[in-house]
Each structure stands twice: as C-alpha cells, then as structure tokens.
Amino acid sequence: MSLHEAMLYTRLENKKVKCDLCARRCLINDGGTGFCLVRKNNGGTLHSLVYAKAISACVDPITKKPLSHFNPGALVMSIATIGCNFRCQFCDNWMISQEKAITGHHFPPEDVVKSARDNGCLGISYTYTEPTIFMEYAYDTAKLARQVGFFNTFVTNGYMTPEAVKTIAPYLDAATVDFKGGADPDFYKSCSAVPSVQPIFEALIEMKRQGIHIELTNLIVPKTGDSIEKIAQLSTWIKDALGKDTPLHLLRFHPDFQMTTTSATPMETLEKAYVAAKNAGLNYVYLGNAPGHPAENTYCPNCNELVIKRYSFEITKWNLTKDMRCPVCGHEIPIKGKLHPSGNTHPYALF
Ligand code: SF4
C-alpha cells in the first residue's frame, strides 16, 4: 500500500493526530484511520492511503458537473479515489464512495494531466467521491494542471475546513457544491450521518472570498428532503451570502443504494422548488436530471430571452453576444471563461 504524508493535520500527544481537512476534524489514534477510511495515523504521522490511486477516470462534458456558467462546452478529465466523509443513503456513486478496501489504478498527477491533454480536455475535475478526502492527490494534480494552462474544478459536499479551502484555492477555479434536502440539518443527520451543516456555509463563504466560481446543487429527495420552505430558505441564504447571480441546480432524485424504495422526485415538486428559488431572488435556477425541461435553459433575468438552450449535457443553442450579453436587451450574463464548442456531449470512461 502506498503512503503519502497528509496535508493539514496536527500532531498531538501520545502519537495521536487531528485531521483538519474536513469539518469532522477526526482525532485519530496511532494505527487508526479517520471516518473517511482513507487517511491513516502511522506512529503519529498522518498518511493518505489513496494518493495517485484513481478508482475512476472519465472524460466528461463540464455541464455534467453541473457547471453551466463556467467555460461552457469544455471537456474535463474527471478523477476520483475511493472514500467519502459522508454516508449518504442515496449516494449514486456508493460503489466507490463507500468502498472499504484501498483500491484503484496507479494514475499519478503527471499522467492525469497528460491524459487530459490527449483526450481534448481543458481542465481537471475532482469529482464522483468527495475530493476533500483525497486533497493531496488533487492538490498536486491541480498545481501541475494549472502550469500547463488547464483549469481545475471540485464537485464537493462542501464539508471542508476553511483551511482546506484556502489551501486548494490558488489552483481551484470552480466548485460545484452539493446540498441535499434543502440543507435541513435533520435530513443531513439521518440520511448522511453529518452532525452539522454549518461548516458547509462557512466553506462557501471562504470560497467566495477566495474568488472561486461557485455553482450549487440541491438534491430533492421525496418525503424526507423535499421541503419547499427549506429550499426557499436556502435560496435566500445563497442570494444574501453569495449573490443573486449564483447558479442553483435543483436535482431530481432517483432511487439508489439504500433508498431504492423511494421513488424519483415528482416533476411537480421540482417545479414548485424552481418557483420558490426564483421567488427568493435567484437569477439562474436550473432543474437537473430532467432532460428536455425548459428549466435546463438559461434565460436573461432582465427580459427573459432564451440565451442558452440545453438538452441534458448538450448546448443546443447559443444566443449570447461575444461579450456574453443578452442579444435583445444587452444585459450581461455571468459566464466565466468562454464557449468551447467541442461538440462531444457523451461522457466516456478511461477506467
Ligand atoms: S478528511 Fe477524513 S480523516 Fe480527515 S477529518 Fe475528514 S473524515 Fe476525518
């Protein structure tokens, strides 16, 4: 098993350590592992057990993250290791996020970057499982990627310490931060084994301070995590703390892992949530996992002109001026980067 000394931990007495990467801040005895199972204390030194050990590598359209206002059309090399700091009962990547055996392909940072280039990608995305728990691997890859002109994006549950955000920030261009159940603390406790949601809000504020492009998702889980009131409250927080132009993607749940008897989110619920988020003052609200729905598109918040039409991961119509303005009223639409008409909208796996 390969060992790589961890970032962001504190040595304590009796060879104990405290991990400061995610908000669990695990206290780990000599010989023990943290909650995520991929960080081990060996004689008072904390090691990552998954450095350069990718369980998955895929070429994805950036829309899949989802990132709708960041380099639209670009392809990204997506990588993940096993492990997670959450235990979501509905996880759709549970086979890798909840894997207990340390496993994966040797895929060092330089190979990730080379593979990204060979496959026509413009950036690297650290995704599928929680990138915070493989921070050392992500950090070294992101640094190398930036040197050759690639961008980096995290898809994260946001349960990071402010120190972790500050550490990766110099190389992190964008983050998709995934909420579930309208950020209801009871939902997080019962369905994801997460004691508090507050650290996610703090991490988001730090990301904003660091100038990272942020897009948010919220998974709407029928019955247990579909409160429209909570979605309205979350939307209001987003508007006040991050700004009304922050994109919010409301995601349709589908049955998976330990929640196979819960049915998919009814469209009616998604549409009510959409109205609540818009009424809270957010300019860019999207419905995700709802191919063909008009709320996949971007509309000008000033005159309601359709400016970007999408079907699932595909951009089917681009109706913005070269300086990213609405062609009818001239309102500026916040898009970071530029359009990359790669034409490839089908994810494919390297392994
Ligand atoms: S990253 Fe892992 S070891 Fe570190 S605090 Fe989080 S769960 Fe614990």
Side-chain angles (χ1 to χ4, degrees), residues 175-224:
T176 308
V177 179
D178 296 330
F179 280 105
K180 308 109 181 23
D184 177 357
D186 292 334
F187 180 84
Y188 270 74
K189 272 184 205 129
S190 61
C191 294
S192 300
V194 176
S196 167
V197 291
Q198 190 54 31
I200 304 172
F201 295 112
E202 287 163 15
L204 276 164
I205 287 167
E206 189 57 46
M207 284 181 192
K208 171 91 177 164
R209 200 178 286 139
Q210 297 287 337
I212 296 165
H213 172 84
I214 300 167
E215 300 200 20
L216 300 166
T217 73
N218 176 53
L219 181 71
I220 303 176
V221 182
K223 295 192 180 128
T224 49

Side-chain angles (χ1 to χ4, degrees), residues 231-237 239-240 274-282:
I231 290 164
Q233 284 169 7
L234 176 62
S235 303
T236 301
W237 182 87
K239 184 193 71 174
D240 293 344
Y274 177 89
V275 171
K278 291 287 281 184
N279 285 346
L282 291 179

Side-chain angles (χ1 to χ4, degrees), residues 19-22 24-26 28 34-36 39 85 132-133:
C19 176
D20 294 313
L21 261 190
C22 95
R24 287 192 186 273
R25 297 195 190 266
C26 294
I28 311 171
F35 184 89
C36 58
R39 311 178 68 73
N85 54 352
T132 311
I133 61 101

Side-chain angles (χ1 to χ4, degrees), residues 1 59 68 78 97 108 111 178 193 227 311 330 346:
M1 186 182 294
V59 176
S68 295
S78 297
S97 70
D111 289 4
D178 296 330
S227 158
Y311 183 87
H346 299 289

